[in-house]
Amino acid sequence: MSYLEYRKKYANNGIKTQLTHSTEQFVHSSFKNHPSHTLATVDENEIDVRIAREKRANPYTTFQRDLITIMCLPNTKLDIGELITIDTRAFIIYDENESELFPTYYGIKVNNTVTLNYGKKKELIGTEPSTGRPIYKEVPDEETMPCFATVNSRNNIFTEFGERINAPQDRLIVLVKYNPLRKLEDGINAFYQGGRHQIIGVDETNVSEGIGYVVLLLDKIQEKSNN
């Protein structure tokens, strides 16, 4: 590299840095003045955001009321699968634009909870007075999670399994935040709106380095009649 080429590259980098810095300053100074500005909560921390209705394609729902675009201040980093609360409404972050200067995240509205049953676990309930030995009892090993759930078979395809959801009254697509401490697999019982379901599909393609969200395919368990 010649001296002139070196100077040109150095000068261009300097201009780029200055422009980035001035843009960041402008965004910070004007961000709160926009009508769509509000505060959001992530992990009990408040952040400044601007919100707009989502207009891009989404594989899980065609209802615009379930989707939101979240614009953040420069260098704000949120995790995919994170829960974010805006004006008492919670959303699961399912995508981002990966821009440091204009970070934008896309959320899908939490519309219910799902309880997963992993079997039984031992819970300490006390100790024996004479020996001091711990006393345990078996209790359900369950986890209740905020989720987005849908049964709209006309517009949803569970792409990981190449299967169109063709029984809307019996099957659910459920999005939940990934929990690295739990192993989700076929056969786990799930409870949703008073009904008992079973996991028949787990899609973890949106999980990277222990962060992201999981898509579950649930099949309703038909209870046997006493008659």
Side-chain angles (χ1 to χ4, degrees), residues 66 90 92 108-113 146-150 173 192-193:
D66 292 330
I92 300 172
I108 191 165
K109 185 171 66 176
V110 170
N111 59 7
N112 221 305
T113 60
C147 71
F148 170 81
T150 181
I173 299 174
Y192 178 82
Q193 288 190 334

Side-chain angles (χ1 to χ4, degrees), residues 114-117 149-151 153 158 161 163-174 185-202 215-223:
V114 62
T115 299
L116 301 182
N117 183 286
T150 181
V151 292
S153 65
F158 203 63
F161 306 99
E163 177 182 6
R164 185 174 292 276
I165 308 305
N166 55 14
Q169 73 276 16
D170 292 329
R171 288 186 174 174
L172 292 170
I173 299 174
V174 177
E185 56 189 1
D186 292 2
I188 290 178
N189 286 329
F191 299 91
Y192 178 82
Q193 288 190 334
R196 191 157 68 99
H197 297 72
Q198 193 172 68
I199 295 178
I200 61 172
V202 180
V215 185
L216 304 176
L217 182 60
L218 305 184
D219 199 22
K220 189 170 184 179
I221 299 174
Q222 301 297 334
E223 304 293 346

